Amino acid sequence: MRLISLFAILALAACSQQEQSSTVPATQDAEVAALEAADRVFFGGPIYTAGDIPDPVETGSMEADETVEMVGVRDGRIVFAGYIEDAPEGLIDEDTDVIDLDGAAMYPGFTDSHVHVIGLGMRERLLNLEGTESILDLQARVAAAIAELEPGYVLEGRGWIETHWPEERFPTRQDLDEVSPDNPVFLTRADGHALVANSMALAQAGITAMSENPEGGDILRDDEGEPTGMLIDTAMYPVEALGGSFEGEERAQVYLEGAWSAARYGWTGGHDMTVPWGDVAMIEAMADELPLRVYVSVDAGGLQPLLESGPVVSDNRRVIVRAVKLYMDGALGSRGASLLQPYSDDPLNSGLLLSNEDETISAMISALDAGIQLNIHAIGDRGNRMMLDWVEAAQAAAPGGPESAVDSRWRNEHAQIVNPVDIPRFAELGVIPSMQPSHAIGDLFFAPARLGPQRMDGAYAWRTFIDSGVMIAGGSDAPVERGDPRIEFYAAVARRGLDGTQTEDWRPDQAVTRAEALRMFTAWPAYASFREDEVGRITEGLRADFTVFSQDIMMIPERDILSVEPVMTVIDGEIVWRAE
């Protein structure tokens, strides 16, 4: 019945246009008459456009909650977005695929602005430790996995977070030795900045009481100076080398599995972080297979090759490589984030710096000269301040001067703990904060203990950032987090734990509006990847990337956002994934 009613409305619209033809200029009438039919039309639910072209200064000016009734797509582009009664004659013919949303809500394609695509694929191939409730639980999971392995084989896992465990401590090598005396085991913390290894893994990696801490890393030790098994940041490398690596066709398959994992949640795009340069050709070759539009930031080792080659763009523009990921510091959970003052719960520790000033500023100047975007990981307030200082120094030394460098759209990946006096500098320097709302609602259970009350004023400060005149590129950092757009959107607007927890330490006033949250995952990621004229909004001429959820997340109660279902993922007008 709805399909019949749509044709009836379009017929009335066509008649209305014909009646008005005498008052329409000849050129406009010719354009209407010459319109080709759409390949596909969407109607039957609220359709949000995300407003006008993003303006990095007037971040609050867009009407992101603007809706239309119908969208028409041809050759992968949007050819109509408006009210049904305004649809041009000829938009639909017998070959048009008419999609009735049946009350579901459609949005511009959601983009995860910080994701590790191959990590998503690897998540299910390693021992997945998400949801581990205690050290006893961790031991039970390891024991079950070891039972399936021959002695000597390495067990690698990822995903544990200890901050809510009853033991109130990191796991140790002795914990793992109890359940795996004959197999090397190493288990990476969810944030990717720390791991715990058993004694056999430490021995095979050559880590002993005599080992020195590497630059940018820390080997945690007991009272007798022996390694506890916990390795932070660069200290992880020797143990990580024990793990298996996916190569060739298997690696490509793992990457594809990661892309599908994202698409099934409703993501149409992902800004893929810390990608080895050796993977670039593989990803580009997969462009026609990918159910995800990927914008790649290669790791630091890829800077020189990218400077020499220039941006890499696949023929279908499904894959673009034009950015480099750098690191200032570690993570807050493992106390590697670099702080201006020591950790409140570890007074002898101020975190780790992972970059050299002279080398980094030199790389920044080279990137500015070549038009290469830098996406710089900085979490602690010292890491963020130094990042801003170094960006300012590089811009001053840029060939065209600071003014020419501001539109380089460099990004600060995470921007979690920022001294409030430094927040206005982001807009001044043109640095885009790329932030992950789920980090806040996870970290805020323990961040007050790490930081103390005063530093919480600049923690996960989304509202303050937006009010200062910058846009936020929203993401998940999956597989560090689950990688679910519903969780990210909920976290941004509710600023509550998944169980509803919220205290004054969480700074509830830093939540964003739903219109702003929509931009964080649509229009603003497009700007942050130089694609605002191509994706991120539903308007005529842009690529037809859409995310469809079962209910309208702009209107339903906050708590219900977590229970909506992904319905459809559309890229270039093609339905790449659809719920059964």
Side-chain angles (χ1 to χ4, degrees), residues 178-213:
E178 288 181 21
V179 292
S180 181
D182 300 320
N183 294 77
V185 175
F186 68 95
L187 311 174
T188 304
R189 196 175 187 274
D191 60 13
H193 287 266
L195 64 79
V196 60
N198 70 350
S199 295
M200 182 174 286
L202 291 175
Q204 291 187 5
I207 296 175
T208 70
M210 302 302 294
S211 300
E212 295 183 1
N213 289 338

PDB file of all heavy atoms in Angstrom, residues 178-213:
ATOM      1  N   GLU A 178      50.380 -19.827  36.477  1.00  0.00           N
ATOM      2  CA  GLU A 178      49.567 -20.846  37.152  1.00  0.00           C
ATOM      3  C   GLU A 178      48.756 -21.676  36.163  1.00  0.00           C
ATOM      4  O   GLU A 178      48.523 -22.870  36.393  1.00  0.00           O
ATOM      5  CB  GLU A 178      48.609 -20.174  38.155  1.00  0.00           C
ATOM      6  CG  GLU A 178      49.286 -19.628  39.393  1.00  0.00           C
ATOM      7  CD  GLU A 178      48.275 -19.014  40.347  1.00  0.00           C
ATOM      8  OE1 GLU A 178      47.068 -19.373  40.239  1.00  0.00           O
ATOM      9  OE2 GLU A 178      48.663 -18.185  41.185  1.00  0.00           O
ATOM     10  N   VAL A 179      48.319 -21.056  35.069  1.00  0.00           N
ATOM     11  CA  VAL A 179      47.449 -21.777  34.120  1.00  0.00           C
ATOM     12  C   VAL A 179      48.163 -22.084  32.805  1.00  0.00           C
ATOM     13  O   VAL A 179      47.611 -22.788  31.958  1.00  0.00           O
ATOM     14  CB  VAL A 179      46.161 -20.968  33.846  1.00  0.00           C
ATOM     15  CG1 VAL A 179      45.293 -20.924  35.100  1.00  0.00           C
ATOM     16  CG2 VAL A 179      46.471 -19.557  33.370  1.00  0.00           C
ATOM     17  N   SER A 180      49.363 -21.548  32.623  1.00  0.00           N
ATOM     18  CA  SER A 180      50.094 -21.821  31.388  1.00  0.00           C
ATOM     19  C   SER A 180      51.598 -21.876  31.655  1.00  0.00           C
ATOM     20  O   SER A 180      52.335 -20.960  31.295  1.00  0.00           O
ATOM     21  CB  SER A 180      49.793 -20.746  30.333  1.00  0.00           C
ATOM     22  OG  SER A 180      50.493 -21.031  29.134  1.00  0.00           O
ATOM     23  N   PRO A 181      52.067 -22.960  32.240  1.00  0.00           N
ATOM     24  CA  PRO A 181      53.508 -23.076  32.495  1.00  0.00           C
ATOM     25  C   PRO A 181      54.301 -23.513  31.267  1.00  0.00           C
ATOM     26  O   PRO A 181      55.516 -23.318  31.220  1.00  0.00           O
ATOM     27  CB  PRO A 181      53.577 -24.137  33.591  1.00  0.00           C
ATOM     28  CG  PRO A 181      52.369 -24.986  33.344  1.00  0.00           C
ATOM     29  CD  PRO A 181      51.302 -24.050  32.863  1.00  0.00           C
ATOM     30  N   ASP A 182      53.611 -24.088  30.252  1.00  0.00           N
ATOM     31  CA  ASP A 182      54.323 -24.700  29.120  1.00  0.00           C
ATOM     32  C   ASP A 182      54.087 -23.994  27.791  1.00  0.00           C
ATOM     33  O   ASP A 182      54.542 -24.476  26.752  1.00  0.00           O
ATOM     34  CB  ASP A 182      53.905 -26.172  28.988  1.00  0.00           C
ATOM     35  CG  ASP A 182      54.217 -26.971  30.243  1.00  0.00           C
ATOM     36  OD1 ASP A 182      55.287 -26.737  30.829  1.00  0.00           O
ATOM     37  OD2 ASP A 182      53.381 -27.801  30.634  1.00  0.00           O
ATOM     38  N   ASN A 183      53.353 -22.897  27.811  1.00  0.00           N
ATOM     39  CA  ASN A 183      53.098 -22.137  26.584  1.00  0.00           C
ATOM     40  C   ASN A 183      53.368 -20.661  26.839  1.00  0.00           C
ATOM     41  O   ASN A 183      52.933 -20.128  27.869  1.00  0.00           O
ATOM     42  CB  ASN A 183      51.646 -22.280  26.134  1.00  0.00           C
ATOM     43  CG  ASN A 183      51.283 -23.673  25.708  1.00  0.00           C
ATOM     44  OD1 ASN A 183      51.073 -24.546  26.534  1.00  0.00           O
ATOM     45  ND2 ASN A 183      51.196 -23.884  24.400  1.00  0.00           N
ATOM     46  N   PRO A 184      54.068 -20.002  25.932  1.00  0.00           N
ATOM     47  CA  PRO A 184      54.200 -18.546  26.067  1.00  0.00           C
ATOM     48  C   PRO A 184      52.818 -17.892  25.919  1.00  0.00           C
ATOM     49  O   PRO A 184      52.046 -18.267  25.023  1.00  0.00           O
ATOM     50  CB  PRO A 184      55.116 -18.146  24.908  1.00  0.00           C
ATOM     51  CG  PRO A 184      55.741 -19.424  24.436  1.00  0.00           C
ATOM     52  CD  PRO A 184      54.759 -20.510  24.729  1.00  0.00           C
ATOM     53  N   VAL A 185      52.515 -16.945  26.783  1.00  0.00           N
ATOM     54  CA  VAL A 185      51.230 -16.242  26.747  1.00  0.00           C
ATOM     55  C   VAL A 185      51.487 -14.749  26.884  1.00  0.00           C
ATOM     56  O   VAL A 185      52.268 -14.325  27.743  1.00  0.00           O
ATOM     57  CB  VAL A 185      50.300 -16.698  27.901  1.00  0.00           C
ATOM     58  CG1 VAL A 185      49.011 -15.870  27.915  1.00  0.00           C
ATOM     59  CG2 VAL A 185      49.983 -18.176  27.795  1.00  0.00           C
ATOM     60  N   PHE A 186      50.846 -13.956  26.030  1.00  0.00           N
ATOM     61  CA  PHE A 186      50.806 -12.515  26.283  1.00  0.00           C
ATOM     62  C   PHE A 186      49.433 -11.985  25.905  1.00  0.00           C
ATOM     63  O   PHE A 186      48.842 -12.370  24.902  1.00  0.00           O
ATOM     64  CB  PHE A 186      51.943 -11.757  25.573  1.00  0.00           C
ATOM     65  CG  PHE A 186      51.872 -11.698  24.076  1.00  0.00           C
ATOM     66  CD1 PHE A 186      51.294 -10.614  23.424  1.00  0.00           C
ATOM     67  CD2 PHE A 186      52.430 -12.721  23.308  1.00  0.00           C
ATOM     68  CE1 PHE A 186      51.263 -10.549  22.035  1.00  0.00           C
ATOM     69  CE2 PHE A 186      52.401 -12.660  21.927  1.00  0.00           C
ATOM     70  CZ  PHE A 186      51.818 -11.565  21.287  1.00  0.00           C
ATOM     71  N   LEU A 187      48.932 -11.117  26.765  1.00  0.00           N
ATOM     72  CA  LEU A 187      47.567 -10.617  26.673  1.00  0.00           C
ATOM     73  C   LEU A 187      47.606  -9.090  26.679  1.00  0.00           C
ATOM     74  O   LEU A 187      48.031  -8.471  27.669  1.00  0.00           O
ATOM     75  CB  LEU A 187      46.732 -11.125  27.855  1.00  0.00           C
ATOM     76  CG  LEU A 187      46.812 -12.634  28.152  1.00  0.00           C
ATOM     77  CD1 LEU A 187      46.055 -12.961  29.442  1.00  0.00           C
ATOM     78  CD2 LEU A 187      46.288 -13.444  26.976  1.00  0.00           C
ATOM     79  N   THR A 188      47.173  -8.487  25.609  1.00  0.00           N
ATOM     80  CA  THR A 188      47.244  -7.034  25.458  1.00  0.00           C
ATOM     81  C   THR A 188      46.026  -6.375  26.083  1.00  0.00           C
ATOM     82  O   THR A 188      44.887  -6.825  25.903  1.00  0.00           O
ATOM     83  CB  THR A 188      47.334  -6.662  23.973  1.00  0.00           C
ATOM     84  OG1 THR A 188      48.460  -7.328  23.391  1.00  0.00           O
ATOM     85  CG2 THR A 188      47.496  -5.162  23.791  1.00  0.00           C
ATOM     86  N   ARG A 189      46.284  -5.326  26.847  1.00  0.00           N
ATOM     87  CA  ARG A 189      45.188  -4.550  27.434  1.00  0.00           C
ATOM     88  C   ARG A 189      44.336  -3.954  26.315  1.00  0.00           C
ATOM     89  O   ARG A 189      44.814  -3.735  25.208  1.00  0.00           O
ATOM     90  CB  ARG A 189      45.770  -3.452  28.328  1.00  0.00           C
ATOM     91  CG  ARG A 189      44.776  -2.807  29.288  1.00  0.00           C
ATOM     92  CD  ARG A 189      45.484  -1.811  30.206  1.00  0.00           C
ATOM     93  NE  ARG A 189      44.596  -1.294  31.240  1.00  0.00           N
ATOM     94  CZ  ARG A 189      43.799  -0.242  31.073  1.00  0.00           C
ATOM     95  NH1 ARG A 189      43.790   0.417  29.920  1.00  0.00           N
ATOM     96  NH2 ARG A 189      43.021   0.169  32.072  1.00  0.00           N
ATOM     97  N   ALA A 190      43.077  -3.650  26.612  1.00  0.00           N
ATOM     98  CA  ALA A 190      42.159  -3.170  25.584  1.00  0.00           C
ATOM     99  C   ALA A 190      42.674  -1.928  24.874  1.00  0.00           C
ATOM    100  O   ALA A 190      42.449  -1.752  23.673  1.00  0.00           O
ATOM    101  CB  ALA A 190      40.787  -2.892  26.200  1.00  0.00           C
ATOM    102  N   ASP A 191      43.394  -1.044  25.595  1.00  0.00           N
ATOM    103  CA  ASP A 191      43.849   0.201  24.972  1.00  0.00           C
ATOM    104  C   ASP A 191      45.024   0.005  24.023  1.00  0.00           C
ATOM    105  O   ASP A 191      45.425   0.936  23.313  1.00  0.00           O
ATOM    106  CB  ASP A 191      44.196   1.251  26.030  1.00  0.00           C
ATOM    107  CG  ASP A 191      45.307   0.823  26.980  1.00  0.00           C
ATOM    108  OD1 ASP A 191      46.002  -0.178  26.695  1.00  0.00           O
ATOM    109  OD2 ASP A 191      45.482   1.490  28.021  1.00  0.00           O
ATOM    110  N   GLY A 192      45.613  -1.197  23.999  1.00  0.00           N
ATOM    111  CA  GLY A 192      46.730  -1.459  23.101  1.00  0.00           C
ATOM    112  C   GLY A 192      48.047  -0.870  23.563  1.00  0.00           C
ATOM    113  O   GLY A 192      49.048  -0.976  22.856  1.00  0.00           O
ATOM    114  N   HIS A 193      48.090  -0.283  24.752  1.00  0.00           N
ATOM    115  CA  HIS A 193      49.300   0.376  25.242  1.00  0.00           C
ATOM    116  C   HIS A 193      49.963  -0.370  26.396  1.00  0.00           C
ATOM    117  O   HIS A 193      50.882   0.155  27.022  1.00  0.00           O
ATOM    118  CB  HIS A 193      48.988   1.812  25.664  1.00  0.00           C
ATOM    119  CG  HIS A 193      48.745   2.729  24.507  1.00  0.00           C
ATOM    120  ND1 HIS A 193      49.737   3.497  23.950  1.00  0.00           N
ATOM    121  CD2 HIS A 193      47.632   2.970  23.779  1.00  0.00           C
ATOM    122  CE1 HIS A 193      49.236   4.197  22.938  1.00  0.00           C
ATOM    123  NE2 HIS A 193      47.953   3.895  22.816  1.00  0.00           N
ATOM    124  N   ALA A 194      49.505  -1.571  26.683  1.00  0.00           N
ATOM    125  CA  ALA A 194      50.115  -2.374  27.742  1.00  0.00           C
ATOM    126  C   ALA A 194      49.772  -3.835  27.499  1.00  0.00           C
ATOM    127  O   ALA A 194      48.772  -4.151  26.846  1.00  0.00           O
ATOM    128  CB  ALA A 194      49.618  -1.940  29.120  1.00  0.00           C
ATOM    129  N   LEU A 195      50.614  -4.727  27.999  1.00  0.00           N
ATOM    130  CA  LEU A 195      50.314  -6.152  27.941  1.00  0.00           C
ATOM    131  C   LEU A 195      50.884  -6.826  29.184  1.00  0.00           C
ATOM    132  O   LEU A 195      51.761  -6.295  29.858  1.00  0.00           O
ATOM    133  CB  LEU A 195      50.854  -6.802  26.662  1.00  0.00           C
ATOM    134  CG  LEU A 195      52.379  -6.859  26.413  1.00  0.00           C
ATOM    135  CD1 LEU A 195      53.058  -7.973  27.203  1.00  0.00           C
ATOM    136  CD2 LEU A 195      52.639  -7.084  24.920  1.00  0.00           C
ATOM    137  N   VAL A 196      50.353  -8.015  29.460  1.00  0.00           N
ATOM    138  CA  VAL A 196      50.906  -8.861  30.500  1.00  0.00           C
ATOM    139  C   VAL A 196      51.383 -10.145  29.835  1.00  0.00           C
ATOM    140  O   VAL A 196      50.702 -10.712  28.982  1.00  0.00           O
ATOM    141  CB  VAL A 196      49.887  -9.150  31.623  1.00  0.00           C
ATOM    142  CG1 VAL A 196      48.649  -9.867  31.092  1.00  0.00           C
ATOM    143  CG2 VAL A 196      50.545  -9.946  32.747  1.00  0.00           C
ATOM    144  N   ALA A 197      52.582 -10.603  30.215  1.00  0.00           N
ATOM    145  CA  ALA A 197      53.169 -11.810  29.646  1.00  0.00           C
ATOM    146  C   ALA A 197      53.532 -12.771  30.770  1.00  0.00           C
ATOM    147  O   ALA A 197      53.882 -12.346  31.878  1.00  0.00           O
ATOM    148  CB  ALA A 197      54.413 -11.468  28.827  1.00  0.00           C
ATOM    149  N   ASN A 198      53.474 -14.058  30.455  1.00  0.00           N
ATOM    150  CA  ASN A 198      53.909 -15.022  31.460  1.00  0.00           C
ATOM    151  C   ASN A 198      55.428 -15.168  31.419  1.00  0.00           C
ATOM    152  O   ASN A 198      56.114 -14.581  30.574  1.00  0.00           O
ATOM    153  CB  ASN A 198      53.184 -16.363  31.295  1.00  0.00           C
ATOM    154  CG  ASN A 198      53.614 -17.132  30.053  1.00  0.00           C
ATOM    155  OD1 ASN A 198      54.314 -16.619  29.186  1.00  0.00           O
ATOM    156  ND2 ASN A 198      53.183 -18.390  29.965  1.00  0.00           N
ATOM    157  N   SER A 199      55.961 -15.973  32.339  1.00  0.00           N
ATOM    158  CA  SER A 199      57.423 -16.081  32.467  1.00  0.00           C
ATOM    159  C   SER A 199      58.062 -16.640  31.218  1.00  0.00           C
ATOM    160  O   SER A 199      59.152 -16.207  30.815  1.00  0.00           O
ATOM    161  CB  SER A 199      57.763 -16.953  33.685  1.00  0.00           C
ATOM    162  OG  SER A 199      57.344 -16.334  34.881  1.00  0.00           O
ATOM    163  N   MET A 200      57.402 -17.603  30.565  1.00  0.00           N
ATOM    164  CA  MET A 200      57.979 -18.188  29.362  1.00  0.00           C
ATOM    165  C   MET A 200      58.059 -17.162  28.237  1.00  0.00           C
ATOM    166  O   MET A 200      59.057 -17.084  27.513  1.00  0.00           O
ATOM    167  CB  MET A 200      57.163 -19.403  28.915  1.00  0.00           C
ATOM    168  CG  MET A 200      57.748 -20.094  27.689  1.00  0.00           C
ATOM    169  SD  MET A 200      56.889 -21.626  27.242  1.00  0.00           S
ATOM    170  CE  MET A 200      57.506 -22.711  28.542  1.00  0.00           C
ATOM    171  N   ALA A 201      57.027 -16.345  28.094  1.00  0.00           N
ATOM    172  CA  ALA A 201      57.053 -15.317  27.047  1.00  0.00           C
ATOM    173  C   ALA A 201      58.136 -14.281  27.337  1.00  0.00           C
ATOM    174  O   ALA A 201      58.861 -13.844  26.428  1.00  0.00           O
ATOM    175  CB  ALA A 201      55.687 -14.653  26.938  1.00  0.00           C
ATOM    176  N   LEU A 202      58.267 -13.875  28.590  1.00  0.00           N
ATOM    177  CA  LEU A 202      59.310 -12.914  28.942  1.00  0.00           C
ATOM    178  C   LEU A 202      60.696 -13.488  28.647  1.00  0.00           C
ATOM    179  O   LEU A 202      61.572 -12.791  28.110  1.00  0.00           O
ATOM    180  CB  LEU A 202      59.213 -12.543  30.422  1.00  0.00           C
ATOM    181  CG  LEU A 202      57.998 -11.721  30.859  1.00  0.00           C
ATOM    182  CD1 LEU A 202      57.999 -11.558  32.379  1.00  0.00           C
ATOM    183  CD2 LEU A 202      57.975 -10.359  30.190  1.00  0.00           C
ATOM    184  N   ALA A 203      60.892 -14.755  28.978  1.00  0.00           N
ATOM    185  CA  ALA A 203      62.193 -15.383  28.741  1.00  0.00           C
ATOM    186  C   ALA A 203      62.497 -15.446  27.257  1.00  0.00           C
ATOM    187  O   ALA A 203      63.624 -15.148  26.824  1.00  0.00           O
ATOM    188  CB  ALA A 203      62.216 -16.780  29.359  1.00  0.00           C
ATOM    189  N   GLN A 204      61.532 -15.842  26.454  1.00  0.00           N
ATOM    190  CA  GLN A 204      61.754 -15.933  25.009  1.00  0.00           C
ATOM    191  C   GLN A 204      62.003 -14.559  24.396  1.00  0.00           C
ATOM    192  O   GLN A 204      62.692 -14.444  23.381  1.00  0.00           O
ATOM    193  CB  GLN A 204      60.573 -16.620  24.342  1.00  0.00           C
ATOM    194  CG  GLN A 204      60.449 -18.094  24.682  1.00  0.00           C
ATOM    195  CD  GLN A 204      59.377 -18.796  23.867  1.00  0.00           C
ATOM    196  OE1 GLN A 204      58.770 -18.217  22.967  1.00  0.00           O
ATOM    197  NE2 GLN A 204      59.133 -20.069  24.196  1.00  0.00           N
ATOM    198  N   ALA A 205      61.441 -13.513  25.010  1.00  0.00           N
ATOM    199  CA  ALA A 205      61.658 -12.153  24.514  1.00  0.00           C
ATOM    200  C   ALA A 205      62.932 -11.529  25.073  1.00  0.00           C
ATOM    201  O   ALA A 205      63.296 -10.407  24.684  1.00  0.00           O
ATOM    202  CB  ALA A 205      60.456 -11.279  24.867  1.00  0.00           C
ATOM    203  N   GLY A 206      63.599 -12.224  25.991  1.00  0.00           N
ATOM    204  CA  GLY A 206      64.852 -11.713  26.544  1.00  0.00           C
ATOM    205  C   GLY A 206      64.683 -10.638  27.579  1.00  0.00           C
ATOM    206  O   GLY A 206      65.597  -9.827  27.807  1.00  0.00           O
ATOM    207  N   ILE A 207      63.529 -10.584  28.244  1.00  0.00           N
ATOM    208  CA  ILE A 207      63.278  -9.565  29.258  1.00  0.00           C
ATOM    209  C   ILE A 207      63.550 -10.149  30.638  1.00  0.00           C
ATOM    210  O   ILE A 207      62.918 -11.137  31.054  1.00  0.00           O
ATOM    211  CB  ILE A 207      61.831  -9.043  29.160  1.00  0.00           C
ATOM    212  CG1 ILE A 207      61.632  -8.330  27.815  1.00  0.00           C
ATOM    213  CG2 ILE A 207      61.513  -8.086  30.315  1.00  0.00           C
ATOM    214  CD1 ILE A 207      60.214  -7.889  27.557  1.00  0.00           C
ATOM    215  N   THR A 208      64.486  -9.559  31.350  1.00  0.00           N
ATOM    216  CA  THR A 208      64.897 -10.032  32.679  1.00  0.00           C
ATOM    217  C   THR A 208      64.988  -8.854  33.643  1.00  0.00           C
ATOM    218  O   THR A 208      64.736  -7.696  33.268  1.00  0.00           O
ATOM    219  CB  THR A 208      66.271 -10.721  32.608  1.00  0.00           C
ATOM    220  OG1 THR A 208      67.277  -9.717  32.361  1.00  0.00           O
ATOM    221  CG2 THR A 208      66.312 -11.773  31.507  1.00  0.00           C
ATOM    222  N   ALA A 209      65.405  -9.151  34.856  1.00  0.00           N
ATOM    223  CA  ALA A 209      65.601  -8.092  35.840  1.00  0.00           C
ATOM    224  C   ALA A 209      66.686  -7.119  35.396  1.00  0.00           C
ATOM    225  O   ALA A 209      66.701  -5.962  35.835  1.00  0.00           O
ATOM    226  CB  ALA A 209      65.953  -8.701  37.193  1.00  0.00           C
ATOM    227  N   MET A 210      67.598  -7.560  34.539  1.00  0.00           N
ATOM    228  CA  MET A 210      68.686  -6.714  34.065  1.00  0.00           C
ATOM    229  C   MET A 210      68.284  -5.822  32.888  1.00  0.00           C
ATOM    230  O   MET A 210      69.035  -4.927  32.502  1.00  0.00           O
ATOM    231  CB  MET A 210      69.877  -7.581  33.656  1.00  0.00           C
ATOM    232  CG  MET A 210      70.405  -8.481  34.777  1.00  0.00           C
ATOM    233  SD  MET A 210      70.918  -7.529  36.228  1.00  0.00           S
ATOM    234  CE  MET A 210      72.315  -6.623  35.545  1.00  0.00           C
ATOM    235  N   SER A 211      67.126  -6.065  32.325  1.00  0.00           N
ATOM    236  CA  SER A 211      66.692  -5.289  31.154  1.00  0.00           C
ATOM    237  C   SER A 211      66.431  -3.842  31.549  1.00  0.00           C
ATOM    238  O   SER A 211      65.816  -3.566  32.592  1.00  0.00           O
ATOM    239  CB  SER A 211      65.432  -5.889  30.548  1.00  0.00           C
ATOM    240  OG  SER A 211      65.654  -7.223  30.122  1.00  0.00           O
ATOM    241  N   GLU A 212      66.860  -2.926  30.700  1.00  0.00           N
ATOM    242  CA  GLU A 212      66.604  -1.512  30.940  1.00  0.00           C
ATOM    243  C   GLU A 212      65.301  -1.102  30.259  1.00  0.00           C
ATOM    244  O   GLU A 212      64.914  -1.669  29.238  1.00  0.00           O
ATOM    245  CB  GLU A 212      67.760  -0.665  30.395  1.00  0.00           C
ATOM    246  CG  GLU A 212      69.082  -0.909  31.109  1.00  0.00           C
ATOM    247  CD  GLU A 212      70.179   0.010  30.586  1.00  0.00           C
ATOM    248  OE1 GLU A 212      69.892   0.833  29.687  1.00  0.00           O
ATOM    249  OE2 GLU A 212      71.315  -0.091  31.080  1.00  0.00           O
ATOM    250  N   ASN A 213      64.648  -0.116  30.834  1.00  0.00           N
ATOM    251  CA  ASN A 213      63.437   0.409  30.203  1.00  0.00           C
ATOM    252  C   ASN A 213      63.797   1.067  28.877  1.00  0.00           C
ATOM    253  O   ASN A 213      64.706   1.904  28.826  1.00  0.00           O
ATOM    254  CB  ASN A 213      62.752   1.438  31.103  1.00  0.00           C
ATOM    255  CG  ASN A 213      62.111   0.811  32.324  1.00  0.00           C
ATOM    256  OD1 ASN A 213      61.813  -0.378  32.330  1.00  0.00           O
ATOM    257  ND2 ASN A 213      61.898   1.613  33.353  1.00  0.00           N
TER     258      ASN A 213
END
